[in-house]
């Protein structure tokens, strides 16, 4: 009897884990389906259409996600995570600061051009539950900016033989670069990309960000060579 009682929690834990795994798999499947529909049709896609495409009863969807705003937030989190990983994977481990900047900017601009509906969804959510600057969006920008800050500090240490980066400058440069790209690309997409090609936009943003880095160096009394080759120690996601 004692042995049976002792073993019961382990059996229960095993069932709980299997149920949690099953629940997470259903959530992942639904999110993937929802993102594919939004990518193709835009933010007006309703939950009923998503549920039908995922071959899942709508009632089950609301057991997996609290309401439409909760669902939208999970969709945004998934999109932001995938975009951030793609940008990070595109960064060169060995090259110049300019190479590094160009690789990240090009990946992002090309992704936005290929997935305008997803990009807009990150910013404003669904038509039925619009929300600007969601937690996922803010958190994604902060997280990516923090990693850019670390890269700037690593690049600075290799590009500059003498002289340390003044406190706070790396963070200013990182958030300035991320904010610049975000605002310029948002405006570029809003104009229908009729004025500037993706190639021209990448070139402009690359030069602009390199200019920001050089300006940070001048402020510290140091000339930074953004074209010097270095090993930045970048590892994939």
């Amino acid at each position: 009897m004692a042995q049976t009682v002792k073993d019961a929690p382990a059996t229960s834990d095993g069932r709980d884990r299997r149920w949690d795994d099953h629940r997470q798999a259903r959530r992942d499947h639904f999110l993937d389906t929802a993102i594919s529909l939004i990518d193709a049709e835009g933010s007006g896609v309703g939950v009923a259409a998503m549920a039908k495409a995922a071959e899942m009863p709508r009632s089950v969807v609301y057991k997996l996600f609290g309401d439409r705003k909760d669902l939208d937030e999970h969709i945004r989190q998934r999109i932001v995570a995938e975009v951030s990983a793609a940008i990070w994977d595109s960064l060169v481990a060995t090259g110049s600061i300019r190479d590094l900047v160009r690789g990240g900017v090009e990946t992002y601009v090309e992704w936005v051009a290929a997935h305008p509906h997803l990009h807009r969804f990150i910013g404003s959510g669904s038509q039925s539950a619009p929300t600007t600057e969601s937690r996922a969006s803010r958190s994604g920008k902060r997280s990516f900016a923090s990693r850019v800050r670390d890269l700037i500090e690593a690049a600075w240490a290799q590009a500059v033989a003498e002289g340390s980066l003044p406190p706070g400058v790396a963070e200013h440069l990182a958030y300035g670069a991320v904010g610049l790209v975000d605002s310029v690309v948002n405006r570029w997409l809003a104009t229908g990309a009729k004025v500037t090609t993706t190639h021209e936009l990448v070139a402009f943003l690359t030069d602009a960000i390199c200019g920001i880095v050089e300006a940070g160096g001048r402020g510290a009394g140091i000339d930074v060579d953004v074209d010097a080759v270095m090993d930045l120690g970048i590892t994939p996601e």
Side-chain angles (χ1 to χ4, degrees):
M1 179 67 176
Q3 184 65 37
T4 302
V5 173
K6 182 178 179 181
D7 288 344
T11 303
S12 177
D13 288 347
R15 286 197 299 267
D16 288 344
R17 283 195 297 271
R18 287 194 296 273
W19 169 247
D20 288 343
D21 290 344
H22 175 68
R23 180 181 176 85
Q24 187 58 53
R26 298 189 85 180
R27 287 164 67 96
D28 289 341
H29 170 65
F30 187 84
L31 290 173
D32 289 341
T33 302
I35 289 172
S36 294
L37 277 178
I38 295 168
D39 192 18
E41 301 178 20
S43 61
V45 177
V47 175
M50 295 176 183
K52 181 178 180 180
E55 298 182 337
M56 187 180 299
R58 186 174 177 178
S59 59
V60 172
V61 174
Y62 286 114
K63 290 181 181 178
L64 298 174
F65 307 96
D67 53 25
R68 183 61 201 258
K69 286 189 175 181
D70 181 50
L71 171 59
D72 287 356
E73 190 67 14
H74 278 84
I75 292 172
R76 282 164 148 168
Q77 289 173 1
R78 177 68 65 90
I79 297 171
V80 169
E82 290 177 357
V83 175
S84 297
I87 295 173
W88 194 259
D89 288 346
S90 72
L91 302 182
V92 294
T94 302
S96 66
I97 293 175
R98 188 181 299 279
D99 293 332
L100 182 77
V101 171
R102 184 187 299 112
V105 168
E106 184 174 57
T107 298
Y108 182 62
V109 169
E110 290 183 349
W111 180 86
V112 171
H115 307 283
H117 292 318
L118 296 184
H119 181 265
R120 293 190 183 97
F121 195 91
I122 293 174
S124 58
S126 62
Q127 290 181 10
S128 61
T131 307
T132 58
E133 278 297 299
S134 71
R135 293 191 307 275
S137 178
R138 291 193 300 271
S139 176
K141 290 176 184 177
R142 285 197 301 268
S143 177
F144 194 78
S146 294
R147 300 187 76 174
V148 172
R149 176 200 60 207
D150 294 341
L151 279 178
I152 289 173
E153 291 176 341
W156 187 280
Q158 292 194 42
V160 180
E162 298 179 357
S164 59
L165 193 62
V169 171
E171 183 151 325
H172 298 332
L173 293 175
Y175 276 84
V178 171
L180 172 66
V181 172
D182 185 52
S183 59
V184 170
V185 171
N186 282 340
R187 180 57 187 166
W188 174 76
L189 186 62
T191 60
K194 296 176 182 178
V195 179
T196 308
T197 66
T198 56
H199 177 76
E200 291 168 338
L201 183 62
V202 169
F204 167 78
L205 288 172
T206 299
D207 287 343
I209 293 173
C210 285
I212 291 174
V213 173
E214 290 171 334
R218 287 194 297 273
I222 299 170
D223 290 329
V224 179
D225 185 358
V226 296
D227 294 303
V229 177
M230 61 191 76
D231 184 354
L232 298 171
I234 299 170
T235 55
E237 287 284 296

